[in-house]
Amino acid sequence: MNRLEQAIAAVAPRYAAKRAMARMQMAAIERAGQPRRSKRFSEDRNFGVNTGNPDDARGRHFIDRQTILRLAYENPYGRKAINALVNNAVGWGITGAPKGPKALSTLWAEWTAVADFNGRLDFFGLQELAVRTMFREGEAFILRKWVRDALPVPLRLQVMDGGMLAIDKVGENIEDGIECDDDGRVTAYWFHQARLPYRRNKPPVRVPAADVVHLFVQEEAGQKRGRSVFEPVIKRLGDIDDALDADLVRRKIESCFVGFRTLSFEDADVPLGVREARDDGLPPAEFFEPGMISTLSPGEDIKFGDPKPAGGLGETVRINLLASAAGMGVTYEHMTGDLSNVNFSSYRAGALEFDATISRIQWNTIIPVCLNRLWRWFCQAAYEFGKTTKAVYAMRWTPPPRKSIDRKGDAEADILEMQAGLENRRSLLNARGEDHDTFLEETAADLKKQQDQGLFYKGDPYTASQAAGASQGNAGAI
């Protein structure tokens, strides 16, 4: 009790006790209503408050990076949507098959294991990091680094996010840390030397555009910066969090009120604390325990709390999640993991549309903007340091395969299309994440070793004589 309540207690103890208890109850309710925050992002949520103005509910044109990171790390639906995009876009990595001598493939395999400038990830881990950063923040930067005496070639890669871009760099033809020439073509990028606050006072470093891969999905002509997948839905995801937090607070408040007791006239003037005391060490009468039987005084009555549940929350959240999934470019099932409202056909139709979106990003952005550029860097480094005899080689990239929902049905359809001449083995193998030439070499080597040991299986390919006999038996068939 504070001094004011102590003074009141001296003349009106009953009123002072009620005042103190009411203050304690309000403090408990306020603590229950405080949503848990990650220490990493403890600043203001900055989702905005709906004041009734129609413009207030619309997405903002400028989204700060801190809000994006908070959604990506703290919002479970946003985190799962990002994982779904990364899993389907790069998976375990988009593999490459160099077209050149065997030594080139060996050199490439050795370099992919040590491609990270920081020495933590391999080439495929850098792919995941760059693509995840691109989806989350809208863009990622991959810098070419030279490391003296590094093997097999001194080329290394460093992935950086938009937070390292010196957007406050001011100069002629420099905007948001990106320097352009008079024709609008990017010539250099300006980056901070470190993210730590005590080192941000150092001047930014200029990196030529030839040493930077700026990875982002370009949706507009002349676009210089990427846009996060969270940008269309950041307000909506924030509202979903607020609705769930408010419902949880309501339930906590409801659980605080078990019942309401009406006192008799004789007990109305008994001081608080004395009235609730019970003999033999039993708990106060205003608390409940299993198996408790309490006898009320004449004239007393008790009514238990019967809070009415607020309906419609589940459907409201589901509708908002449907809109959020559409804005982020994923299906509702990918974003939530909820498969309760789908059947095989509807899930397959949604998966096909999602696969088309991912394939577009792979072949129009990730491979031409990023991977082809990195391959040219590797070829240049290998040639300049005497590892190869040519400065340019061809490369075939193969994204990871799509998981089949109906493996038997898909396999039968593939066989029918090949028999009808509508499909070929190379394209089918590429769709499964396999390089055609490498697959044939491995299959021939495995089959030869198997047959040398006297092992034969039902699924083995035809021998030359069996294939000739099968073709004669099928002569004349259409």
Side-chain angles (χ1 to χ4, degrees), residues 175-411:
E175 182 180 0
D176 288 342
I178 302 177
E179 181 179 334
C180 302
D181 59 15
D182 294 336
D183 295 326
R185 292 175 297 185
V186 178
T187 57
Y189 296 86
W190 292 82
F191 293 100
H192 291 294
Q193 298 187 40
R195 194 187 302 277
L196 299 178
Y198 63 87
R199 297 181 59 183
R200 290 294 289 269
N201 56 351
K202 292 187 176 181
V205 177
R206 183 182 185 273
V207 181
D211 293 331
V212 179
V213 170
H214 189 184
L215 179 61
F216 67 92
V217 177
Q218 185 171 352
E219 299 176 332
E220 302 171 4
Q223 183 178 343
K224 293 294 192 299
R225 301 288 304 276
R227 294 182 175 177
S228 170
V229 295
F230 287 108
E231 185 171 338
V233 301
I234 186 170
K235 185 79 165 62
R236 192 174 297 274
L237 287 178
D239 290 340
I240 293 174
D241 273 351
D242 290 342
L244 295 176
D245 287 345
D247 183 71
L248 180 61
V249 171
R250 179 185 63 82
R251 295 176 185 276
K252 288 182 177 180
I253 294 175
E254 290 175 357
S255 65
C256 294
F257 298 99
V258 178
F260 303 90
R261 185 156 60 112
T262 302
L263 299 176
S264 63
F265 290 103
E266 291 78 7
D267 293 337
D269 294 330
V270 179
L272 186 66
V274 177
R275 181 177 62 241
E276 292 80 9
R278 301 174 65 193
D279 297 333
D280 302 328
L282 296 176
E286 291 188 352
F287 289 84
F288 290 87
E289 62 180 353
M292 173 182 173
I293 299 177
S294 180
T295 302
L296 301 178
S297 302
E300 288 188 350
D301 186 20
I302 186 168
K303 295 181 179 179
F304 289 94
D306 185 20
K308 302 301 180 183
L313 176 64
E315 186 63 21
T316 300
V317 171
R318 181 176 179 274
I319 292 174
N320 280 276
L321 285 175
L322 284 169
S324 299
M328 295 187 69
V330 299
T331 64
Y332 170 82
E333 292 73 26
H334 280 107
M335 187 172 187
T336 64
D338 180 15
L339 303 177
S340 59
N341 295 317
V342 298
N343 53 34
F344 176 81
S345 299
S346 62
Y347 183 78
R348 185 178 178 86
L352 291 175
E353 177 66 21
F354 180 64
D355 288 348
T357 301
I358 292 298
S359 296
R360 172 177 56 82
I361 296 175
Q362 287 174 336
W363 293 103
N364 291 348
T365 300
I366 298 176
I367 291 177
V369 175
C370 178
L371 298 183
N372 285 343
R373 183 86 174 275
L374 300 182
W375 169 247
R376 290 194 294 269
W377 285 356
F378 172 81
C379 290
Q380 179 184 351
Y383 176 74
E384 292 179 354
F385 287 88
K387 300 292 184 176
T388 58
T389 58
K390 292 173 56 179
V392 179
Y393 290 92
M395 166 68 83
R396 177 182 292 117
W397 299 103
T398 304
R402 299 278 185 268
K403 295 297 182 181
S404 175
I405 303 175
D406 181 12
R407 294 185 61 186
K408 180 179 179 181
D410 291 342

Side-chain angles (χ1 to χ4, degrees), residues 118-140:
N118 296 318
R120 177 180 176 82
L121 304 173
D122 61 3
F123 180 72
F124 306 108
L126 292 176
Q127 284 186 34
E128 177 188 347
L129 179 60
V131 172
R132 181 182 296 275
T133 304
M134 179 191 71
F135 284 129
R136 183 182 65 233
E137 304 181 33
E139 59 190 353

Side-chain angles (χ1 to χ4, degrees), residues 124-189:
F124 306 108
L126 292 176
Q127 284 186 34
E128 177 188 347
L129 179 60
V131 172
R132 181 182 296 275
T133 304
M134 179 191 71
F135 284 129
R136 183 182 65 233
E137 304 181 33
E139 59 190 353
F141 301 90
I142 305 177
L143 276 61
R144 174 166 57 175
K145 296 285 188 176
W146 299 104
V147 180
R148 184 184 299 273
D149 300 329
L151 297 176
V153 292
L155 170 66
R156 295 295 183 267
L157 305 176
Q158 183 180 17
V159 177
M160 302 176 70
D161 55 50
M164 296 297 293
L165 197 64
I167 59 176
D168 53 347
K169 175 64 179 178
V170 179
E172 185 178 1
N173 293 336
I174 300 178
E175 182 180 0
D176 288 342
I178 302 177
E179 181 179 334
C180 302
D181 59 15
D182 294 336
D183 295 326
R185 292 175 297 185
V186 178
T187 57
Y189 296 86

